[in-house]
């Protein structure tokens, strides 16, 4: 019986999980997604060819690996089919849970309409329909991939749903799908996806029993988790490691090493609290050096300093065994580097994440910068000041930093102790 290795984001997403997942996917038999939808995204370049991954697990880039999309995911057939086109046949290498929920174009319309109506209170979602698809699931009016096996039945149910909610949808400006078009779309989805739809829970149990090497790939980050993030400015799924169990039908005892991914600084897209955000020159410089623009939406990311308080929270919630610290080289050339070490909250210094992060003021410590870490591949070669920065973060967050990334290149990665 093997245990599954797990990768989770420790900040607000975009930590650079792609590079580590891609690296680890080379040595795993199965790569599995457990939550989120096509709101996530990373680009991987192999032999000069660019691949954009949103929902297909990164194992697709290792010809020997197989890929599972678990029940915790919301899947847009339209976007998934488009994403599949980048690859040759995936038969025998891709398994989609019959219990994953279907995200349809009207979910995106609802998402965008709600954001519009919220005005300056908008969450800043990706507009992909993630929230409405999960809302339907929880309200028990969603549809699962298994239902694609019977398109007529599914088209009828969706049409009835629109009839019941006609007044609401009309007020929001959401179009009622035309029955014939809807049915034709569902038939097309069935044809493209049915060969991959199966009971992935059973499959997970089998592969773990067969001692396969299994990698669980998280999406987004801990601070965007529906329960443990900066609610309501969060995504609509469980992004923390516990979500891997519910989202794939495995038990906590099936989880092995948990690798948490964090950037050497911090970013966030969308609205909501971000205590260590830097709205000045330093933030601009981080954005420019780190190419901090969204993969899915192209939006500029908000940038700021490493938040050790939020990170300690994330390390504990996820049961992180080791941290991969990404984009260390983006801090190259800064004279001073700040780290948020505590918050001021209601006149007191606190070292935990309170109910409302909006109410805190960051307390910083300042570290001396270094010239360059770009492309360094061994820990010993790092400038002393960078080593000191890393050691200080480790002491604050309560987990070892075992992997350090010093450029986007696959090889420019320090793995300590190897
Ligand atoms: P939604 O997931 O589209 O509903 O968006 C909710 C919040 O999560 C917004 O602030 C998004 O910017 C953020 N978000 C969703 N997916 C990602 C991601 O992959 N990286 C970073 N932020 C994300």
């Amino acid at each position: 019986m093997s245990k599954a290795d797990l990768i989770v984001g420790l900040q607000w997403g975009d930590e650079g999980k792609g590079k580590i997942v891609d690296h680890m996917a080379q040595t795993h038999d199965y790569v599995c997604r457990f939550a989120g939808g096509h709101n996530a995204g990373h680009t991987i370049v192999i032999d000069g060819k660019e691949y954009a991954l949103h929902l297909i697990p990164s194992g697709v880039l290792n010809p020997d690996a197989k890929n599972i999309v678990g029940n915790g995911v919301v899947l847009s057939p339209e976007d998934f089919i488009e994403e599949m086109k980048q690859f040759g046949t995936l038969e025998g290498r891709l398994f989609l849970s019959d219990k994953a929920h279907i995200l349809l174009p009207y979910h995106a319309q609802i998402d965008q309409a709600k954001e519009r109506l919220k005005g300056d209170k908008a969450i800043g979602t990706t507009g992909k329909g993630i929230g409405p698809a999960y809302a339907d699931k929880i309200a028990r009016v969603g549809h699962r991939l298994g239902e694609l096996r019977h398109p007529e039945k599914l088209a009828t149910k969706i049409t009835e749903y629109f009839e019941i909610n006609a007044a609401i949808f009309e007020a929001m400006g959401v179009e009622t799908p035309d029955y014939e078009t809807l049915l034709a779309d569902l038939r097309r989805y069935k044809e493209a996806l049915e060969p991959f739809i199966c009971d992935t829970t059973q499959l997970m149990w089998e592969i773990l029993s067969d001692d396969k090497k299994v990698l669980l790939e998280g999406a987004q980050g801990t601070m965007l988790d529906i329960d443990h993030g900066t609610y309501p400015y969060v995504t609509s799924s469980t992004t923390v490691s516990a979500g891997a169990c519910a989202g794939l039908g495995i038990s906590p005892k099936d989880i092995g090493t948990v690798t948490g991914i964090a950037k050497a600084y911090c970013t966030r897209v969308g609205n909501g609290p971000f205590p260590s955000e830097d709205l000045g020159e330093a933030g601009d410089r981080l954005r420019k050096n780190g190419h901090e623009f969204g993969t899915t939406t192209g939006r500029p990311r908000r940038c700021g300093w490493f938040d050790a308080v939020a990170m300690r929270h994330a390390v504990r919630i996820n049961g992180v065994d080791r941290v991969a610290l990404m984009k260390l080289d983006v801090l190259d050339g800064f004279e001073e580097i700040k780290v948020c070490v505590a918050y001021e909250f209601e006149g007191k210094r606190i070292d935990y994440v309170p109910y409302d992060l909006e109410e805190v003021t960051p307390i910083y410590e300042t570290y001396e910068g270094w010239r360059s870490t770009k492309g360094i591949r061994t820990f010993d070669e790092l400038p002393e000041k960078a080593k000191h920065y890393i050691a200080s973060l480790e002491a604050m967050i309560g987990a070892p930093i075992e992997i350090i990334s010093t450029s986007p290149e696959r090889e420019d990665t320090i793995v300590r102790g190897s």
Side-chain angles (χ1 to χ4, degrees):
M1 191 85 178
S2 58
K3 288 197 185 288
D5 295 320
L6 173 58
I7 288 185
V8 277
L10 300 180
Q11 295 161 323
W12 277 277
D14 307 316
E15 297 91 351
K17 291 181 287 295
K19 177 171 167 177
I20 300 298
V21 175
D22 169 51
H23 181 74
M24 289 179 73
Q26 305 306 312
T27 55
H28 282 76
D29 303 311
Y30 284 83
V31 184
C32 318
R33 261 292 289 276
F34 57 85
H38 63 302
N39 47 349
H42 55 261
T43 309
I44 293 183
V45 183
I46 296 179
D47 297 331
K49 188 167 175 356
E50 236 181 56
Y51 299 91
L53 293 182
H54 294 285
L55 196 45
I56 301 183
S58 307
V60 71
L61 299 168
N62 166 11
D64 296 324
K66 296 181 176 171
N67 301 279
I68 298 178
V69 176
N71 57 276
V73 157
V74 288
L75 187 147
S76 156
E78 202 67 61
D79 293 275
F80 198 84
I81 293 167
E82 201 50 44
E83 195 176 331
M84 283 170 76
K85 287 185 186 156
Q86 300 173 92
F87 310 99
T89 173
L90 290 171
E91 217 139 329
R93 293 187 56 212
L94 177 68
F95 305 90
L96 308 179
S97 169
D98 50 8
K99 289 180 281 188
H101 274 250
I102 306 175
L103 186 155
L104 289 166
Y106 59 83
H107 289 120
Q109 285 185 30
I110 297 169
D111 193 358
Q112 290 159 22
K114 286 194 168 170
E115 286 283 275
R116 249 191 336 267
L117 292 169
K118 279 189 187 139
D120 62 0
K121 300 277 185 317
I123 293 167
T125 71
T126 59
K128 305 278 180 192
I130 307 297
Y134 276 112
D136 279 359
K137 170 179 173 175
I138 301 301
R140 297 160 295 184
V141 294
H143 299 289
R144 305 191 291 177
L145 277 186
E147 289 177 70
L148 277 184
R149 294 184 182 120
H150 308 289
E152 293 79 10
K153 229 166 140 182
L154 180 53
T156 305
K157 280 199 214 163
I158 293 172
T159 307
E160 283 167 6
Y161 171 70
F162 268 86
E163 278 165 14
I164 295 167
N165 294 288
I168 299 170
F169 289 142
E170 202 187 314
M172 280 199 289
V174 174
E175 292 161 30
T176 302
D178 162 66
Y179 180 84
E180 290 307 326
T181 315
L182 176 65
L183 183 57
D185 285 343
L186 296 177
R187 285 189 173 134
R188 187 163 48 82
Y189 301 158
K190 172 183 162 134
E191 197 182 323
L193 300 181
E194 198 177 24
F196 305 103
I197 299 174
C198 62
D199 182 341
T200 54
T201 307
Q202 290 285 342
L203 180 61
M204 289 301 297
W205 298 348
E206 277 165 31
I207 61 179
L208 290 170
S209 292
D210 288 348
D211 268 337
K212 297 290 184 210
K213 287 203 77 182
V214 179
L215 182 64
L216 314 178
E217 175 183 356
Q220 287 86 37
T222 301
M223 299 307 284
L224 288 173
D225 180 87
I226 185 77
D227 286 281
H228 301 288
T230 48
Y231 191 90
Y233 298 99
V234 291
T235 191
S236 296
S237 63
T238 298
T239 61
V240 298
S241 58
C245 295
L248 285 161
I250 56 175
S251 94
K253 291 174 186 152
D254 292 315
I255 307 289
T257 303
V258 179
T259 304
I261 319 290
K263 270 194 282 222
Y265 51 98
C266 224
T267 65
R268 141 160 238 179
V269 258
N271 301 328
F274 178 6
S276 62
E277 179 170 19
D278 188 301
L279 294 167
E281 235 173 74
D284 287 342
R285 187 163 161 193
L286 289 169
R287 187 174 310 106
K288 188 162 160 275
N289 291 0
H291 309 290
E292 295 295 356
F293 297 89
T295 331
T296 299
T297 58
R299 291 180 289 181
R301 296 181 183 139
R302 298 158 65 192
C303 294
W305 303 107
F306 190 91
D307 184 337
V309 186
M311 189 63 53
R312 201 161 43 238
H313 167 91
V315 163
R316 179 63 183 89
I317 282 178
N318 291 293
V320 168
D321 293 301
R322 57 174 195 166
V323 170
L325 192 71
M326 311 305 291
K327 294 184 135 182
L328 183 65
D329 56 297
V330 172
L331 294 177
D332 288 357
F334 273 91
E335 220 141 87
E336 288 189 334
I337 296 166
K338 292 205 277 185
V339 175
C340 170
V341 296
Y343 300 138
E344 192 186 308
F345 177 58
E346 294 176 343
K348 287 198 209 91
R349 181 185 170 113
I350 60 164
D351 62 0
Y352 60 89
V353 174
Y355 177 75
D356 190 356
L357 259 192
E358 201 95 62
E359 303 295 319
V360 309
T361 311
I363 299 174
Y364 290 113
E365 265 177 17
T366 302
Y367 290 79
E368 277 181 62
W370 54 81
R371 278 246 300 283
S372 175
T373 62
K374 194 155 192 80
I376 290 181
R377 297 181 186 179
T378 66
F379 191 76
D380 287 347
E381 285 172 85
L382 285 177
E384 285 309 314
K385 288 184 176 135
K387 286 185 191 165
H388 175 64
Y389 179 68
I390 292 166
S392 309
L393 299 189
E394 282 180 317
M396 285 186 261
I397 67 180
I401 296 175
E402 290 187 5
I403 300 172
I404 299 150
S405 172
T406 56
S407 103
E409 299 295 325
R410 205 186 250 180
E411 290 73 28
D412 292 340
T413 308
I414 298 170
V415 183
R416 289 167 87 180
S418 70

